[in-house]
Amino acid sequence: ALIYKRRNGTVLIIALIVGLISAFHIQDIIDILFRDESRSISLNTRSADTLNFLEGLEASSLFIGEGAGTLLNGRQAVENTFLWALWKYGLPGLIFWLSPILICYFYYRKIPQQSSLNNLGTAFFFGMLMLYIQTNSNPFLNNSIGISYSILSIFSLRLLSRKSEE
């Protein structure tokens, strides 16, 4: 609702507070959510991926990555697309994979709130937001369905922003 009302400062403050609270209680949250053995295996794999990334992180790999053929924790692809992009391609790769949501946000902001097209634009933007949230723990963004939805959202929001200017 705050994004819809364009209260960006409030959204940022809330995100930081939630992030800090989550960081202090992450182990409790993990214990509650992942008592199931299959989820425990998945969580351990994702944790090992992150630890392997942090152990192998160097300044040069942060800026230029390790390369497309390198393995992370013995695997070619990992569930966290953002970690995968940072490991393989460095900050330029991460910026590339974040650019669709930034473009969508740019076009979404151009649609006036009082426009009749705002609700449709909100649906596309929040669909992208959901895609990016899910991509944090599953490779949705860099598969064909995620890419297709990203392209659809970008062009739809671009069209809606142009039509709202008329």
Side-chain angles (χ1 to χ4, degrees):
L2 292 172
I3 293 174
Y4 180 76
K5 291 182 179 182
R6 315 268 161 91
R7 304 251 170 112
N8 297 329
T10 307
V11 170
L12 180 63
I13 290 170
I14 290 172
L16 288 173
I17 290 171
V18 168
L20 288 173
I21 291 171
S22 297
F24 287 116
H25 297 292
I26 194 73
Q27 189 61 43
D28 296 334
I29 294 169
I30 289 171
D31 289 341
I32 291 169
L33 293 177
F34 300 104
R35 289 189 181 141
D36 182 2
E37 186 177 326
S38 63
R39 287 187 179 181
S40 176
I41 293 169
S42 177
L43 179 65
N44 288 338
T45 303
R46 292 168 198 219
S47 298
D49 292 342
T50 304
L51 289 174
N52 189 279
F53 169 77
L54 292 173
E55 288 172 359
L57 186 63
E58 298 174 1
S60 62
S61 64
L62 185 63
F63 291 108
I64 60 172
E66 291 292 324
T70 59
L71 302 178
L72 178 60
N73 196 22
R75 300 182 311 146
Q76 185 67 25
V78 296
E79 284 79 10
N80 185 332
T81 300
F82 306 122
L83 183 67
W84 168 84
L86 194 57
W87 174 257
K88 301 255 183 191
Y89 309 110
L91 288 174
L94 184 62
I95 291 168
F96 173 81
W97 286 104
L98 291 175
S99 64
I101 197 157
L102 297 175
I103 293 168
C104 283
Y105 182 70
F106 171 76
Y107 286 127
Y108 175 66
R109 295 276 300 166
K110 290 178 80 173
I111 303 170
Q113 274 189 305
Q114 57 273 22
S115 170
S116 61
L117 302 172
N118 190 41
N119 287 340
L120 186 56
T122 300
F124 280 111
F125 179 71
F126 279 99
M128 279 295 287
L129 194 60
M130 186 65 182
L131 177 69
Y132 271 78
I133 290 169
Q134 288 178 332
T135 296
N136 194 39
S137 62
N138 290 295
F140 287 120
L141 182 61
N142 60 344
N143 70 26
S144 58
I145 295 171
I147 293 292
S148 299
Y149 187 77
S150 296
I151 292 169
L152 176 75
S153 293
I154 289 170
F155 285 102
S156 297
L157 285 166
R158 180 175 175 259
L159 179 67
L160 291 171
S161 71
R162 284 188 171 185
K163 284 196 178 269
S164 68
E165 291 176 353
E166 294 175 355

